[in-house]
């Protein structure tokens, strides 16, 4: 799994062992792999990467393969069990996977001995990861980045909810699935399953380790206010700064990316036997130090400033009766430098290093306080209210001009090869122009006139456009000063709330 951009693989956790494959409509993944190799070839030929550096990397791979005996093992078809496909996913293999889940769980907090849960308890299982096998498996599953999968894609998989429900019902208890946390019968315990959405290479890179989502926190806070004991099961490819979530939990389990056997393996440890004793104890210990702040992207034993929230090797067992106090809520994040440069607009306002401009034949005019008019009055920007006061802007064209985001040049070539997309959240008010185009970087952009006319008056839309639609080479994305631009040759009115680069959801194309 990718690690934060500022902190190499040292803060990373191994990905799911679920195999990746190409099948059905997976040819885009193969295309992206070819594109990456093509880019590498160009970088070697251009001298960006020296041949010596490339040979060094290849030698390391060959050395590992030789030590593993692959060059003397014969063809795969000649090895033991070759062709015996019925062994894949066998009961014995699933039992090993279940054991691996049990042994990898790390208990970070267990105040008031909430865990293990009574076998006859009434348990509410909430959160967007509660019944999502794709999320608990992470990237490199059935799609390149692990996105777009549904539970039916994992025929032998067990969701976390399903595992808990099976274990509890066998002993007189019950588990109820409620992703949004609503209930009619008050539960004895609420298990909240949340964490990172799937990602694999590059698309998981970030410049800090703040979990940066309040979905789980909102549920935990609501249950705590109602006096319901809470257990957090956190899914992630790496340790992350989740102090607010830990504070709001009675028990907190780092489950990493446990894969398709997660449900049964987690239930084995979280649900007690009928006599109240634990079926299995927590034996997992941190293989990476847990960050005290969101900027602890490099955190290694032996560093002069080593000061983790939970040290390398930390992990509680059921015999530990120590209570964890309130953790600091100081994230360490300050200023616009912490904002991903791929976040362009949010609630109509430019983010980080970016500024918003309007343009006409007489030049550019910077937008301030969500308001501006171009030099000749051809284009204007004003704030509008959607769900909150002035949480979006409306851009209005009387004649030819453009609205664009601009800032210091940023290298978005990795976003290009990583198949990221431009995501726009907008509402088309009216379209009378003959040509409207959307551009990223240099070039003429994409003609979206017909699409916008079809969406006129249709309410708020969220559309994605592949970066590969704007240029056929990553080199053109190496120094982008205008990451998004809307150009019209006539009357147009469109409301904008958000613009950013995000992972391809799997169905992005060159059409809105």
């Amino acid at each position: 799994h990718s690690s934060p951009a500022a902190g190499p693989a040292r803060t990373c956790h191994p990905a799911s062992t679920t195999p990746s494959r190409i099948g059905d409509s997976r040819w885009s993944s193969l295309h992206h792999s070819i594109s990456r190799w093509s880019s590498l070839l160009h970088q070697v030929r251009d001298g960006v990467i020296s041949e010596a550096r490339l040979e060094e990397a290849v030698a390391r791979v060959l050395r590992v393969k030789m030590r593993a005996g692959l060059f003397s093992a014969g063809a795969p078809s000649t090895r033991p069990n070759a062709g015996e496909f019925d062994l894949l996913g066998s009961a014995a293999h699933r039992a090993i996977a279940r054991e691996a889940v049990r042994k990898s769980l790390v208990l970070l907090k267990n105040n008031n001995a909430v865990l293990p849960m009574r076998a006859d308890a009434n348990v509410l299982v909430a959160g967007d990861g509660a019944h999502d096998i794709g999320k608990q498996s992470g990237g490199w599953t059935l799609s390149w980045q692990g996105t777009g999968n549904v539970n039916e894609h994992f025929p032998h998989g067990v969701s976390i909810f399903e595992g808990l429900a099976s274990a509890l019902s066998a002993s007189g208890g019950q588990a109820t699935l409620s992703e949004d946390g609503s209930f009619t019968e008050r539960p004895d315990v609420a298990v909240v399953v949340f964490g990172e959405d799937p990602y694999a290479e590059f698309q998981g890179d970030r410049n800090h380790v703040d979990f940066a989502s309040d979905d789980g926190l909102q549920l935990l806070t609501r249950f705590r206010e109602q006096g319901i004991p809470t257990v957090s099961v956190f899914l992630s490819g790496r340790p992350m700064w989740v102090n607010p979530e830990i504070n709001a939990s009675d028990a907190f389990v780092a489950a990493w990316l446990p894969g398709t056997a997660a449900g049964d393996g987690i239930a084995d440890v979280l649900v007690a036997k009928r006599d109240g004793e634990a079926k299995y104890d927590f034996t997992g210990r941190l293989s990476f130090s847990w960050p005290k702040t969101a900027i602890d992207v490099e955190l290694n034993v032996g560093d002069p400033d080593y000061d983790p929230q939970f040290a390398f090797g930390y992990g509680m067992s059921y015999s530990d009766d120590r209570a964890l106090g309130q953790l600091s809520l100081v994230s360490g994040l300050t200023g616009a430098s912490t904002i991903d440069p791929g976040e362009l607009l949010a609630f109509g306002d430019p983010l980080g290093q970016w500024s918003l401009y309007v343009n006409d034949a007489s030049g550019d005019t910077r937008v301030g306080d969500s308001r501006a008019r171009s030099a000749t009055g051809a284009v204007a920007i004003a704030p509008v209210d959607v769900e909150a006061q002035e949480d979006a802007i409306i851009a209005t064209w009387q004649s030819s001009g453009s609205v664009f985001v601009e800032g210091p040049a940023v290298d978005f070539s990795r976003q290009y090869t990583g198949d990221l997309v431009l995501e726009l959240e907008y509402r088309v008010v009216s379209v009378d122009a003959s040509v409207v185009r959307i551009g990223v970087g240099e070039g003429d952009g994409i003609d979206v006139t017909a699409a916008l006319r079809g969406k006129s008056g249709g309410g708020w839309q969220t559309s994605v456009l592949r970066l590969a639609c704007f240029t056929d080479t990553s080199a053109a994305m190496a120094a982008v000063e205008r990451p998004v631009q809307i150009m019209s040759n006539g009357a147009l009115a469109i409301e904008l709330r958000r613009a950013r680069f995000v992972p391809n959801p799997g169905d992005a194309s060159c059409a809105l």
Side-chain angles (χ1 to χ4, degrees), residues 172-360:
Q174 69 172 10
T176 303
L177 177 66
S178 176
E179 292 186 8
D180 66 359
S182 60
F183 59 84
T184 54
E185 181 182 353
R186 181 183 176 85
D188 298 319
V189 181
V191 176
V192 182
V193 187
F194 64 100
E196 293 189 283
D197 290 328
Y199 60 82
E201 53 182 323
F202 171 65
Q203 292 192 7
D205 287 2
R206 56 197 307 164
N207 58 4
H208 57 75
V209 289
D210 183 16
F211 175 51
S213 173
D214 62 356
D215 292 344
L217 182 59
Q218 289 182 357
L219 290 171
L220 292 165
T221 302
R222 191 194 318 161
F223 292 136
R224 169 154 288 194
E225 290 172 347
Q226 296 171 326
I228 298 171
T230 55
V231 176
S232 284
V233 176
F234 184 58
L235 305 172
S236 72
R238 54 206 161 185
M240 306 200 77
W241 190 75
V242 285
N243 283 14
E245 288 82 0
I246 294 176
N247 285 344
S249 307
D250 292 294
F252 194 97
V253 178
W256 313 113
L257 298 173
T260 54
D264 291 331
I266 290 174
D268 285 344
V269 184
L270 266 60
V271 179
K273 294 186 291 186
R274 290 177 183 268
D275 62 5
E277 295 296 316
K279 295 179 184 176
Y280 294 91
D281 201 350
F282 282 92
T283 59
R285 301 297 180 260
L286 290 180
S287 53
F288 297 92
S289 303
W290 199 276
K292 179 173 286 187
T293 72
I295 57 176
D296 286 340
V297 294
E298 294 190 20
L299 191 59
N300 296 280
V301 176
D303 288 348
D305 57 351
Y306 183 67
D307 185 26
Q309 187 67 71
F310 302 105
F312 174 82
Y314 177 88
M316 298 177 64
S317 300
Y318 279 137
S319 59
D320 296 323
D321 60 0
R322 62 183 181 274
L324 182 67
Q326 290 291 101
L327 304 180
S328 170
L329 296 181
V330 177
S331 70
L333 294 173
T334 57
S337 61
T338 61
I339 298 175
D340 187 322
E343 293 284 345
L344 311 176
L345 290 174
F347 301 106
D349 292 326
L351 297 174
Q353 64 192 4
W354 304 113
S355 297
L356 186 63
Y357 290 85
V358 291
N359 165 276
D360 59 25

Side-chain angles (χ1 to χ4, degrees), residues 117-131:
M117 296 182 291
R118 294 193 336 268
D120 61 351
N122 173 21
V123 178
L124 185 73
V125 188
D128 63 356
H131 190 45

